Amino acid sequence: MSELFIKICGLRTAEDVDAAVAAGADAVGFVFAHSPRRVDAATARELAARAGDRVLTVGVFRGQPLEEVRELAAASGIRAVQLHGDEGPEYYEALRPEGYTLVRATAPAPEQPESCGALGEDLLLLDAPAPGAGKPWDWSDPRFVPPAGRWVLAGGLDAANVGRAVRTLAPWGVDVSSGVEVRRGVKDPALITEFVRAAREASAASA
């Protein structure tokens, strides 16, 4: 498999971003949806600039009006938009011409296999039914069929279990938020480093 894509989400401070970049993360996420991790557009713009060109900067939205998504994305200077609600294909159609990498986040249903690109997204993120709660979904369910293409595993991952997840499912990427926190909304640089190292080691061993 190609090198694993790693996203650290829910970042709120310069220290968070610096730790993720130093650890070798491929993407950092800033939450604009209702959450203890929420940041405003001005803060996200400062943090996104700090991340540099190599790291994909992602704005996370959930059930927000299309115009609000467009305004926040433009004001914050992010390069990717992650839609984490029941947004329809019209969101993807409207945002596509603006040049964003589009991420569709959804909770998996083993009886209904997902397909990357079904609504026009570039990346598909499979998350727990309660995103950001730190509780994994049962990705070991034998009925679960990993999607083809660029899909990202999220939901309750941390340094202790990401290796097993990568070896079991061979996802294109992984995403973590609560699994690198000391308390809700507060990241720990050491945990970020440990997570990236564990994910990279598992990916290399599976190559």
Side-chain angles (χ1 to χ4, degrees):
M1 62 182 293
S2 59
E3 184 171 350
L4 187 71
F5 176 87
I6 300 176
K7 173 169 167 271
I8 312 296
C9 200
L11 305 187
R12 301 172 61 219
T13 70
E15 291 74 20
D16 292 346
V17 173
D18 290 350
V21 172
D26 301 289
V28 291
F30 310 114
V31 178
F32 295 115
H34 180 70
S35 166
R37 306 177 180 97
R38 186 173 186 171
V39 294
D40 59 30
T43 299
R45 176 172 283 277
E46 293 177 1
L47 298 178
R50 195 176 187 93
D53 294 336
R54 185 193 69 80
V55 177
L56 184 66
T57 51
V58 185
V60 180
F61 302 87
R62 183 176 176 85
Q64 290 154 268
L66 176 57
E67 282 310 307
E68 180 180 338
V69 173
R70 298 176 80 162
E71 289 172 8
L72 285 170
S76 61
I78 56 170
R79 293 165 43 212
V81 171
Q82 179 175 317
L83 300 174
H84 216 309
D86 57 358
E87 297 88 354
E90 67 276 8
Y91 276 71
Y92 300 88
E93 292 171 5
L95 294 166
R96 170 67 59 198
E98 299 181 25
Y100 299 111
T101 296
L102 302 178
V103 185
R104 176 169 67 95
T106 188
E111 66 278 8
Q112 295 179 330
E114 289 288 349
S115 175
C116 181
L119 294 186
E121 72 274 10
D122 300 296
L123 307 178
L124 173 66
L125 188 146
L126 296 185
D127 202 351
K135 297 180 180 179
W137 53 276
D138 187 10
W139 41 260
S140 63
D141 188 327
R143 298 173 299 161
F144 173 66
V145 178
R150 301 203 296 176
W151 76 280
V152 178
L153 176 65
L157 294 177
D158 56 28
N161 65 17
V162 68
R164 182 166 66 90
V166 168
R167 290 188 295 270
T168 301
L169 297 180
W172 181 81
V174 292
D175 185 318
V176 68
S177 183
S178 60
V180 292
E181 292 178 346
V182 289
R183 60 182 183 276
R184 192 164 175 80
V186 180
K187 299 293 190 282
D188 183 320
L191 292 179
I192 291 174
T193 301
E194 290 171 16
F195 179 87
V196 174
R197 181 185 300 118
R200 292 272 183 239
E201 288 176 354
S203 179
S206 301

